[in-house]
Amino acid sequence: WNVRWPEHGALVRSLEIPDEARSILRFTDGNSALIEWPASATWQVFFFRWEPGRSSVQLATMHRPEICLPAVGFELVGPIDTVDIPVGTIHLPFSGSEFKCNNERMFVYRCLREDQSVTGVARNHNFDTSVRGRIASTWYGRRNLGQRLLQIGILGVGSEEAARENLRQRVPSLIN
């Protein structure tokens, strides 16, 4: 799956990914954009892909809003509900966090999924970054299978419920 930027119904501005972030994350492909939905929310979207075997799995887990956003002035308020969004035959699980900056609330949703499955090994595609999950990945030979990260920051909706609904409505049209 990949991200397809809206061609109609929203203003999309491509954002440059800083060289420092590129050198730290070493993703294969990466895009970022600001999407302004009319009479609705503004989204800041990051989509990164790491090819199988290209780099350490830890690089995909490093781009976390809890680390990046406080570095640019946002205050972490806390975690918010996880949202599972069906898109065709896949489900994208988004973990969430709420941030505050200059009295404005931002709701950030992050989905990290591995690309490949391992023949003969039953597993889901949710990326388990716990110690237990990383050990299981090593045990079953599931190292560097390729990852995709979609992170969406939502501004201008006012409440967690409105952000969650906005995410549910709009994410399926962004995925191809």
Side-chain angles (χ1 to χ4, degrees), residues 87-144:
V87 180
T89 60
I90 63 172
H91 284 259
L92 300 178
F94 285 86
S95 58
S97 300
E98 181 180 348
F99 292 85
K100 209 169 47 170
C101 185
N102 299 328
N103 294 322
E104 186 168 17
R105 298 169 78 183
M106 181 165 70
F107 303 93
V108 179
Y109 293 93
R110 180 179 185 272
C111 175
L112 176 62
R113 281 182 47 109
E114 290 183 295
D115 284 345
Q116 297 182 10
S117 60
V118 177
T119 305
V121 178
R123 69 184 185 96
N124 66 30
H125 287 273
N126 297 342
F127 193 60
D128 184 355
T129 59
S130 70
V131 171
R132 173 180 248 161
R134 292 193 316 259
I135 291 171
S137 289
T138 301
W139 180 261
Y140 290 111
R142 297 187 314 232
R143 302 296 289 172
N144 300 328

Side-chain angles (χ1 to χ4, degrees), residues 80-85 92-96 109 164-165 167-168:
I80 57 178
D81 289 342
T82 298
V83 181
D84 186 60
I85 300 179
L92 300 178
F94 285 86
S95 58
Y109 293 93
R164 201 171 36 248
E165 186 57 30
L167 190 76
R168 281 190 181 113

Side-chain angles (χ1 to χ4, degrees), residues 40-66:
S40 183
T42 298
W43 285 17
Q44 183 173 10
V45 181
F46 293 94
F47 178 68
F48 300 125
R49 184 178 66 79
W50 290 265
E51 287 184 2
R54 172 154 163 83
S55 59
S56 169
V57 173
Q58 284 78 14
L59 295 175
T61 64
M62 285 175 58
H63 185 73
R64 301 192 62 79
E66 297 84 6

